Amino acid sequence: KAGVTQTPRYLIKTRGQQVTLSCSPISGHRSVSWYQQTPGQGLQFLFEYFSETQRNKGNFPGRFSGRQFSNSRSEMNVSTLELGDSALYLCASSLAGVSVDEQFFGPGTRLTVL
Amino acid sequence: AQSVTQLDSHVSVSEGTPVLLRCNYSSSYSPSLFWYVQHPNKGLQLLLKYTSAATLVKGINGFEAEFKKSETSFHLTKPSAHMSDAAEYFCVVSPYNFNKFYFGSGTKLNVKP
């Protein structure tokens, strides 16, 4: 079974631009979560999608948005990029996103904002 | 309220000696608890999980953790550290019937030869 894939793996953008990151979950998984990881703040939850609906949201500004398609693939968009958005963005998929489910993580997309 | 506290940001051990990574949690509901490991420039990998069955949970690579409800702890242990264990470890709590996962701040394990 293929694992969680994220594209692109690396991205360099400048302030003010926008970016779209993509995540393909493990086949059969319907829940996709996004996390931001930085040295200073650690792992922070962005949002979770289940069956094309945003089910949970973390404490990030509205510049961060996402969506999920009918095949469970998910995209995350960040508009008006700021230097502080430089981070590793991790995507995780699970069967249903309930508390007992294991989350499977992708390798991440490293975003650098200049 | 739900939270996870990893008591040590860095732990350093010698190869062949025991490893102890400490985690305390707070949860309003019976939680599921997880330990994940992240090697440099890699995604997170599940080491083990507790979901209200046996309180002593065995995971991959010789790691195990014990759920202690009275102490609200879920410490990760390994009898003998290996150089390949050097990584960052995250304790995660998910309250029962919730679909939210709360991550600790991580513990970086250094293994000295």
Side-chain angles (χ1 to χ4, degrees), chain B residues 75-88:
Chain B
H75 301 335
L76 181 70
T77 60
K78 183 174 180 177
S80 176
H82 192 270
M83 295 298 292
S84 60
D85 294 329
E88 189 161 18

Side-chain angles (χ1 to χ4, degrees), chain B residues 47-88:
Chain B
L47 276 178
L48 48 83
K49 69 176 182 179
Y50 165 80
T51 56
S52 77
T55 57
L56 182 62
V57 182
K58 293 187 185 300
I60 62 171
N61 300 335
F63 284 95
E64 62 181 40
E66 187 172 7
F67 173 68
K68 291 187 176 180
K69 187 175 180 179
S70 60
E71 298 175 12
T72 60
S73 69
F74 190 58
H75 301 335
L76 181 70
T77 60
K78 183 174 180 177
S80 176
H82 192 270
M83 295 298 292
S84 60
D85 294 329
E88 189 161 18

